Amino acid sequence: MKSAIKNLTIYSLFSSKPPPYHFPPLSKPSTFLTFSSGMEKSPPPSSSLSPSILVLGGKSSQENEFAKSLKDNFKNLTLPIEDSGVSVFLYDSDAEKKTYEVEEETFKIGTYMNSLSANRFGQFLIWSPRLSSTQDLIAKNFCELPIGAVCVADIQFKGRGRSRNVWESPAGCLLFSFTLQMDDGRILPLLQYVVSLAVVEALKDVCDAKGFPYLDLKIKWPNDLYLNGLKVGGVLCTSTYSSKKFSVSAGIGLNVNNEKPTTCLNAELRKLTSDACQLERENVLAAFFKRFESFFDTFSNQGFQALEELYYKAWLHSGQRVLIQEEKEGQLLEHAVTIQGLTPSGYLLAIGDDHQFYELHPDGNSLDFFKGLVRRKVQ
């Protein structure tokens, strides 16, 4: 018996109010996830933006040698037109450090490198105080960069979003994109969940190491990060396929220290303690790569099933009831289903009151996932 696919309207019975922006994972591997994070608005005209800088550096002498080579051949890189006037410097050059100004609140490369314990990811770094898009820089130059390279920006004025929307992310957000490769396209759409889980667990690691109160960061399917009912971050992954490998550019935005327009991690941390507890972006990024490296190895060797139990502890939807409204023969019928977890393809698995299992897909038209899903029976 063939499965019938119907367009249905879904209303969430979850207690928190849905946020204004939700973006579904797409079926094609070339772009399977989108995000926005921090303050979101249209960027200023490019003419009002002065040229920025890029600083290249690495954890070891090998990465620093690569940084020097990349600088010498920088003309081979593809930059967005908004970044065409960028100047390039080497982090390990004391002479070059004197030629550009670094403000106190900018990303501290030395602190990050000293905190980094991952062996493959995050070893080579590109940092800019202001960049149009970390994702664009990484994706457009994937073949010129080592696997695991990361690009960090303090301010992003043309971040990537749904339907080519652009976003401005202000100072205080941890904004970064990094490179990785995968062989198995069947599990590629599930990578977004591994990235999200690594962010959640990294935050726990930093709080534990610093003796800070625990921040209960949660995952809102498929790619948003929530704290106390408010969105504080999100994820973006894009990929291309060549020579039997998927080249993935993974991006994360996490609002660490900017309370506008809603809240940030440090604002919520201050509510829990009278001490001067302060999360630093550098430590969070280093902890992320340690967690992601471990999770990615597990994911690649054993599949997402090996991480599912930990993932479900971090997401918001186990047991969530959603009400389905379906128009049939001129009448509006309602059906309730309960979310059980994820299907092997990464969509929502739900069970109806008829004890039938369903796979729920975004319809691609609604900004709120749970108000626009396609329901398909699971055979």
Side-chain angles (χ1 to χ4, degrees), residues 40-51:
E40 302 168 340
K41 62 181 181 180
S42 298
S46 58
S47 60
S48 68
L49 298 168
S50 58

Side-chain angles (χ1 to χ4, degrees), residues 178-229:
F178 67 99
T179 63
L180 67 144
Q181 283 188 323
M182 293 181 61
D183 299 320
D184 191 349
R186 294 170 299 178
I187 64 172
L188 182 63
L190 298 168
L191 177 66
Q192 58 186 308
Y193 309 133
V194 181
V195 175
S196 299
L197 181 59
V199 176
V200 171
E201 293 302 314
L203 184 59
K204 291 181 183 178
D205 293 341
V206 174
C207 288
D208 287 342
K210 299 291 184 180
F212 293 168
Y214 173 62
L215 290 176
D216 194 19
L217 191 65
K218 292 293 187 180
I219 299 168
K220 185 174 177 64
W221 184 86
N223 59 338
D224 287 335
L225 298 167
Y226 269 64
L227 182 61
N228 298 333

Side-chain angles (χ1 to χ4, degrees), residues 13 31 42 51 63 81 90 104 106 110-111 120 124 144 149 193 212 232 239 247 296 298-299 305 331 348 354:
L13 300 185
T31 304
S42 298
E63 281 89 28
I81 189 171
L90 297 176
E104 184 177 349
T106 58
T111 301
R120 302 191 310 279
F124 177 75
E144 305 297 328
Y193 309 133
F212 293 168
V232 293
S239 70
S247 298
F296 185 67
T298 300
F299 176 58
Q305 295 87 346
Q331 292 185 333
L348 292 174
D354 57 359

Side-chain angles (χ1 to χ4, degrees), residues 41-49 82 130 156-158 166-168:
K41 62 181 181 180
S42 298
S46 58
S47 60
S48 68
L49 298 168
E82 296 87 354
R130 188 186 64 253
Q156 188 171 248
F157 60 85
K158 199 175 181 182
V166 292
W167 312 106
E168 176 182 326

Side-chain angles (χ1 to χ4, degrees), residues 127-149:
W127 167 75
S128 177
R130 188 186 64 253
L131 196 64
S132 62
S133 168
T134 61
Q135 191 75 2
D136 282 348
L137 190 146
I138 287 290
K140 291 178 183 295
N141 299 285
F142 192 98
C143 294
E144 305 297 328
L145 299 173
I147 298 301

